């Protein structure tokens, strides 16, 4: 299983999630949503993206992929840690 992580600069929640990912055995890619390639990649997965009550994309967004299929969409270090525990 691998992941795609969508982040913004200077985001403390993004940094927390990146730290948790760094301590895990998983590998993946990070996409900065300020950069055009990050926005383009996000559009590829737009139907899986969670939004808040105002319609804004929730950041960070972590997509867990297995054979290019989205298996989970997580938005915090806590959600990621709980998801990891559920896989044990």
């Amino acid at each position: 299983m691998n992941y795609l992580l969508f982040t913004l600069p200077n985001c403390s929640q993004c940094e927390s999630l990146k730290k948790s990912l760094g301590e895990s055995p998983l590998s993946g890619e990070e996409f900065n949503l300020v950069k055009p390639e990050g926005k383009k990649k996000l559009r590829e997965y737009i139907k899986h993206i969670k939004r808040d009550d105002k319609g804004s994309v929730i950041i960070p967004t972590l997509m867990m992929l297995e054979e290019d299929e989205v298996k989970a969409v997580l938005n915090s270090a806590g959600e990621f840690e709980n998801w990891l525990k559920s896989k044990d």
Side-chain angles (χ1 to χ4, degrees):
M1 184 162 296
N2 58 350
Y3 65 82
L4 298 176
L5 176 62
F6 298 97
T7 63
L8 289 171
N10 304 315
C11 168
S12 61
Q13 292 181 2
C14 297
E15 292 304 316
S16 178
L17 183 49
K18 286 193 278 188
K19 183 177 186 246
S20 293
L21 282 166
E23 295 168 354
S24 79
L26 302 174
S27 63
E29 294 181 76
E30 177 183 351
F31 293 91
N32 183 326
L33 292 177
V34 172
K35 297 183 178 181
E37 58 271 12
K39 292 175 185 177
K40 181 179 176 185
K41 191 65 161 179
L42 182 73
R43 282 192 291 274
E44 292 176 28
Y45 291 91
I46 200 70
K47 69 180 181 179
H48 300 285
I49 300 294
K50 293 180 188 175
R51 296 178 179 270
D52 65 14
D53 58 351
K54 295 179 183 176
S56 298
V57 171
I58 299 172
I59 299 300
T61 292
L62 174 64
M63 295 193 164
M64 305 308 300
L65 305 174
E66 189 168 355
E67 297 179 15
D68 294 325
E69 184 179 334
V70 177
K71 295 297 186 178
V73 179
L74 311 167
N75 296 104
S76 70
E79 285 183 12
F80 173 63
E81 289 163 12
N82 289 335
W83 180 84
L84 268 182
K85 288 176 188 172
S86 76
K87 297 299 170 194
D88 289 340

